[in-house]
Amino acid sequence: MITNEFTVKRVKRMRPQIQQITDRAIDDLLARPKPADLVEALSLPVPSLVICELLGVPYTDREQFQSRSQIMLSRRSTADQRRDAALWLLQYLNGLVAGKEAERGDDLLSRLIDKYRDIDAYDRQTVAGMGLLLLIGGHETTANMISLSVVSLMEDPQLLDGLRRQPERTPQLVEELLRFHSVVDVATSRVVVEDFELGGVGFRAGDGVIVAAAAASHDPAVFTGPDTIDVERGARHHLAFGFGVHQCIGQNLARLELEIVLNTLFARVPDLALAEPVERLPYKQDALVYGIHRLPVTW
């Protein structure tokens, strides 16, 4: 129902809005006392506000929407705070969809209402739930990639110099960063349906299998020197977005967000630097996602 909302052509039309959102977030970063938390100032707000743009959340509601989104997805929040924020967002999205039933806009939720009505399968809860799913799926993963990418660039002066000298090659850099970090690691779990052998390992029907995308994207048989970031390798066949029918539907949007954020941040804040040694950064690894809790920076 939403595949055509995330085509390359449609996502490219969002470039001006994403650029404005990124510029405002960097304005906020630069207005803060030093050091500032890049996760709080840039990495989380940008994907949240891009989702607002996509779903058609009114500007007057975006601050509340964004603050609840951050509470729901922040590791600093308690379980009760996350649950309350998720309930608020779902109720808000239900109300937003109800308003769009009466008056459509140029946004994803409005188009979904029409699509479901065209096949006589419309349900307000379904459309609101789709909105919440897009918020969750497209928020924390992109935020983590922004933070991890910034750290990678600040830790490698040659890589950062290449970004500044040739910003037109940033899409190629983004692909390699996606391969290298592969923030969604063990989301693919399966059950074996019949006995087979793969790579000299036997599997029996009923066995559980977790496909580790990060391990695949670091396979030395596929990528030479996989544990280094090499922009020249042309890594479009990584598994950071999954594979086949299970590929991430928002991958084109994530790529564009990363390209715009990295180019804009390092052009506008040329003296950006880590405020803590990289080994002291609060990295996290839960059941699904790898990322950074907090990223203190100065300039």
Side-chain angles (χ1 to χ4, degrees):
M1 296 297 282
I2 60 173
T3 298
N4 66 345
E5 296 288 338
F6 293 96
T7 61
V8 173
K9 184 178 180 180
R10 188 180 285 274
V11 165
K12 279 184 177 179
R13 285 166 47 190
M14 293 187 67
R15 180 180 283 273
Q17 294 98 314
I18 298 172
Q19 185 66 62
Q20 288 180 350
I21 288 167
T22 301
D23 282 328
R24 286 197 297 267
I26 295 173
D27 289 342
D28 175 58
L29 171 70
L30 295 174
R32 295 182 178 220
K34 304 175 190 178
D37 181 6
L38 196 79
V39 172
E40 183 181 283
L42 180 73
S43 303
L44 281 172
V46 169
S48 173
L49 291 169
V50 169
I51 292 293
C52 283
E53 192 77 34
L54 192 69
L55 299 180
V57 175
Y59 280 94
T60 51
D61 296 344
R62 290 188 178 194
E63 187 174 338
Q64 292 190 72
F65 187 91
Q66 183 188 350
S67 65
R68 269 31 176 249
S69 300
Q70 291 197 24
I71 290 169
M72 185 179 73
L73 295 166
S74 173
R75 292 300 188 274
R76 301 180 195 177
S77 305
T78 66
D80 286 344
Q81 288 173 329
R82 286 196 291 269
R83 184 195 63 240
D84 291 346
L87 287 172
W88 186 94
L89 285 163
L90 192 55
Q91 290 172 354
Y92 174 83
L93 285 164
N94 265 291
L96 185 64
V97 173
K100 293 179 186 297
E101 289 171 2
E103 186 176 354
R104 307 285 194 282
D106 183 18
D107 56 74
L108 185 148
L109 293 179
S110 294
R111 289 188 287 272
L112 266 182
I113 292 170
D114 289 334
K115 287 180 180 180
Y116 277 110
R117 283 184 168 170
D118 286 346
I119 62 172
D120 197 26
Y122 177 68
D123 175 73
R124 185 184 297 167
Q125 296 271 2
T126 298
V127 176
M130 185 76 78
L132 188 64
L133 179 66
L134 289 171
L135 171 67
I136 296 169
H139 192 155
E140 189 183 15
T141 48
T142 305
N144 284 323
M145 269 306 306
I146 290 171
S147 298
L148 291 165
S149 298
V150 168
V151 172
S152 294
L153 286 161
M154 287 195 290
E155 282 291 285
D156 188 334
Q158 187 174 353
L159 204 61
L160 181 54
D161 182 61
L163 171 76
R164 286 175 169 147
R165 285 187 298 101
Q166 295 180 296
E168 70 279 1
R169 297 190 67 199
T170 305
Q172 192 172 334
L173 169 65
V174 164
E175 290 305 321
E176 175 64 356
L177 289 167
L178 285 163
R179 179 204 68 81
F180 183 81
H181 289 296
S182 295
V183 295
V184 181
D185 188 9
V186 291
T188 308
S189 55
R190 295 288 183 266
V191 175
V192 177
V193 295
E194 62 182 38
D195 295 356
F196 74 103
E197 185 176 299
L198 179 66
V201 178
F203 295 82
R204 293 185 177 277
D207 284 350
V209 177
I210 294 174
V211 181
S217 291
H218 281 250
D219 184 352
V222 180
F223 302 102
T224 303
D227 296 330
T228 59
I229 297 174
D230 180 3
V231 183
E232 302 300 327
R233 79 168 74 247
R236 276 302 287 251
H237 55 301
H238 59 73
L239 295 185
F241 291 119
F243 182 75
V245 297
H246 297 288
Q247 285 190 73
C248 171
I249 198 167
Q251 59 182 288
N252 294 322
L253 182 59
R255 286 182 169 107
L256 184 58
E257 287 180 61
L258 285 163
E259 176 194 338
I260 290 172
V261 168
L262 295 178
N263 277 340
T264 308
L265 177 64
F266 287 105
R268 290 193 55 190
V269 195
D271 50 351
L272 188 73
L274 294 174
E276 292 183 9
V278 68
E279 60 270 12
R280 287 175 53 192
L281 293 177
Y283 287 96
K284 61 176 180 162
Q285 174 76 63
D286 59 23
L288 293 177
V289 179
Y290 172 67
I292 300 177
H293 284 293
R294 184 175 54 86
L295 182 51
V297 294
T298 189
W299 54 94

